[in-house]
Amino acid sequence: IGVMGDSAGSHVAASAGTLFNDPVVNTGSPLDKVSGRPDFMILLFSVLTMEPPYAHRDSKTNLIGPNPTQEEMDHYSLEKQVTADTPPTFLVHSEQDTTVSLENEMQFYQALIKNHVPAELHLYPLATHGSGLDPSFGPTSIWQKLCEEWMRWNGWIPKSDTSLMKIQSRADIPARGAAGRSARRGGSGFGRGRGPAPAATAPAPDAATPSASN
């Protein structure tokens, strides 16, 4: 089960992926014993930080009021809440977005990488806020296809004859000695809690595999 959010909705989705153990979500119900952690997140043109200078003013005011404490800003600046348990994340933003600063996505991505959470960041030159499916914005309009391939690569959706990838699943990477077997055991959490494999022994990525674009 994954979550997806756009703009302020990304803050809701990312809260599900970072604050799922926060006391504020406990209701006293038996359901509190069931983890609310999503398996993955898709965050688009996102409001993620409450810290100046990159916070979106209206979202910040609506969430924590016009005069929040530093503790409140820290708590709801979700780049500060990323841990190794944060789910794999797919992020999209545009340099042309003048409503929400793309640094929201960039800071969150940096936190994911620091915590060894699998992530893809797609930054595009064109697309106004929330207009990522408009075909007039060129490459930005195909982010959903790359997202589909990312989900397929991680085993969350079935393989497809129309996939852009020659190898459609991380689990299908051929083993290449001990290093290859280690990479295959990593599954969708590859890299979590570990540094990258040495360049000389790491399996070579497939040329068609989606990667962060700029």
Side-chain angles (χ1 to χ4, degrees), residues 21-204:
N21 283 329
D22 195 271
V24 74
V25 303
N26 291 332
T27 64
S29 162
L31 283 176
D32 289 345
K33 298 178 182 179
V34 180
S35 174
R37 177 189 180 275
D39 292 309
F40 61 89
M41 299 190 293
I42 301 167
L43 308 177
L44 315 168
F45 301 91
S46 305
V47 172
L48 294 168
T49 189
M50 295 291 115
E51 289 277 9
Y54 304 127
H56 182 252
R57 184 183 60 188
D58 290 346
S59 296
K60 178 180 176 180
T61 299
N62 290 336
L63 181 64
I64 54 178
N67 299 298
T69 65
Q70 185 62 49
E71 183 179 5
E72 289 172 325
M73 287 192 292
D74 288 344
H75 188 72
Y76 290 104
S77 291
L78 300 181
E79 74 279 4
K80 297 183 178 183
Q81 304 303 327
V82 172
T83 70
D85 291 325
T86 300
T89 307
F90 185 95
L91 304 111
V92 175
H93 214 119
S94 162
E95 298 172 31
Q96 201 177 39
D97 187 344
T98 58
T99 302
V100 176
S101 172
L102 61 80
E103 275 79 9
N104 281 261
E105 238 90 12
M106 293 175 69
Q107 290 182 149
F108 197 81
Y109 175 76
Q110 289 173 337
L112 293 168
I113 297 307
K114 181 179 179 179
N115 285 277
H116 307 290
V117 176
E120 281 195 21
L121 171 63
H122 294 261
L123 296 180
Y124 296 97
L126 301 177
T128 52
H129 186 67
S131 57
L133 295 179
D134 186 333
S136 66
F137 289 116
T140 314
S141 65
I142 64 169
W143 71 261
Q144 75 275 20
K145 180 60 178 174
L146 298 180
C147 185
E148 175 188 331
E149 298 288 21
W150 174 75
M151 294 175 68
R152 183 172 291 117
W153 174 250
N154 284 286
W156 299 315
I157 61 174
K159 297 178 182 180
S160 170
D161 291 339
T162 62
S163 174
L164 301 175
M165 300 183 293
K166 185 181 297 183
I167 298 178
Q168 295 189 31
S169 172
R170 187 189 301 278
D172 292 338
I173 298 176
R176 299 182 182 179
R181 288 192 294 273
S182 176
R184 292 188 66 183
R185 283 198 299 269
S188 61
F190 178 71
R192 179 174 295 174
R194 302 186 298 276
T201 59

